[in-house]
Amino acid sequence: LLDSLRREPAVRGVVLRLESPGGDGLASDLLWRAVHVLAREKPVAVSMGDVAASGAYYLAAAAHAIFAEAGTLTGSIGVVGGKVDAEGLLRRLGIGREAIERGANAGLLSGTTGFRAGERAAVQAAMESIYATFTERVAEGRKLPIEDVRRVAEGRIWSGARTQQVRLHGSYRAVEHVGG
């Protein structure tokens, strides 16, 4: 959709309405890339709903302007990861499991084992890489030094009004009322 809006001559600018607490890092990055490409050719503004955090804020960072109400929950520049280990539960229920695995991290995504020695390190490294990219995207899009972004990131959630005060904005504007 964003690519077709970019190619459509009659479309002179795009307003994206974001209402999301976030989600998958890959999906967020793919959407960021689509907004970034669109924004190179046409003005892009983001209108945030009640909640536009984490992945939603990630892709909003590529827009020229971000608008939010004072009470919009936003920010949450961070990465959460892990996995459930249901091995004990399955044992109590009398359910057996046997896996045949090949490779050092073959059980990485298994829901019936905890992290093994190298798996935890692999997940940690992946999360740190995603977090670095996230903060870099915000710094670039909001035209802020990376140190300023890191100072207010770490998964913190801000109101729209407070987001403006901590400078996660560039051209960000918190407004009391949107609409007419």
Side-chain angles (χ1 to χ4, degrees), residues 20-23 28 52-60 73-80 134:
S20 171
S28 300
S54 192
Y57 188 80
Y58 188 122
L59 69 103
L73 295 179
T74 190
S76 189
I77 301 166
V79 178
V80 176
F134 193 169

Side-chain angles (χ1 to χ4, degrees), residues 160-180:
R162 185 74 175 118
T163 303
Q164 187 176 29
Q165 293 169 359
V166 299
R167 297 183 44 228
L168 283 178
H169 49 75
S171 57
Y172 185 96
R173 291 169 183 80
V175 293
E176 292 298 322
H177 178 70
V178 176

Side-chain angles (χ1 to χ4, degrees), residues 55-90:
Y57 188 80
Y58 188 122
L59 69 103
H64 295 102
I66 301 172
F67 298 90
E69 295 188 32
T72 297
L73 295 179
T74 190
S76 189
I77 301 166
V79 178
V80 176
K83 70 176 184 173
V84 174
D85 179 359
E87 183 177 17
L89 173 63
L90 293 176

